[in-house]
């Protein structure tokens, strides 16, 4: 069964405005799993989730981040969610 971080990463990457996940400015947005890291998705011990993404430039950032928060809550439950936009790129 996939870890919650893997499920969250897959859900976020499926959003049409997400170009890729990102580790944040210092690469700290990640979840450590045995033998690997899920970069761009951080799940803390209390269940909160932090996501760092690069978005397309064709959608309003506030609307996309709100959609991503709801998407993450749909997978992880009603947990606190922080969405960081690391960059915006044209597609």
């Amino acid at each position: 069964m996939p870890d919650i971080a893997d499920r969250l990463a897959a859900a976020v990457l499926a959003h049409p405005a997400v170009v890729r996940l990102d580790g944040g400015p210092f690469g700290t947005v990640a979840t450590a799993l045995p033998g690997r890291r899920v970069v761009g998705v951080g799940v803390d011990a209390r269940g909160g989730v932090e996501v760092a993404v690069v978005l397309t430039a064709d959608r309003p950032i506030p609307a996309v981040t709100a959609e991503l928060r709801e998407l993450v809550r749909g997978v992880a439950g009603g947990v606190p969610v922080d969405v960081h936009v690391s960059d915006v790129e044209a597609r």
Side-chain angles (χ1 to χ4, degrees), residues 22-72:
D22 187 78
F26 301 105
T28 58
V29 180
T31 299
L33 296 175
R36 65 189 177 94
R37 291 170 23 119
V38 179
V39 176
V41 177
V43 180
D44 70 28
R46 295 176 309 232
V49 176
E50 182 177 18
V51 176
V53 292
V54 174
L55 299 177
T56 60
D58 60 347
R59 302 255 332 262
I61 292 171
V64 173
T65 57
E67 291 169 8
L68 291 174
R69 275 188 206 92
E70 290 307 310
L71 182 70
V72 168

Side-chain angles (χ1 to χ4, degrees), residues 7-36:
R7 294 195 322 263
L8 291 169
V12 170
L13 286 169
H15 191 286
V18 174
V19 175
R20 67 180 174 276
L21 292 168
D22 187 78
F26 301 105
T28 58
V29 180
T31 299
L33 296 175
R36 65 189 177 94

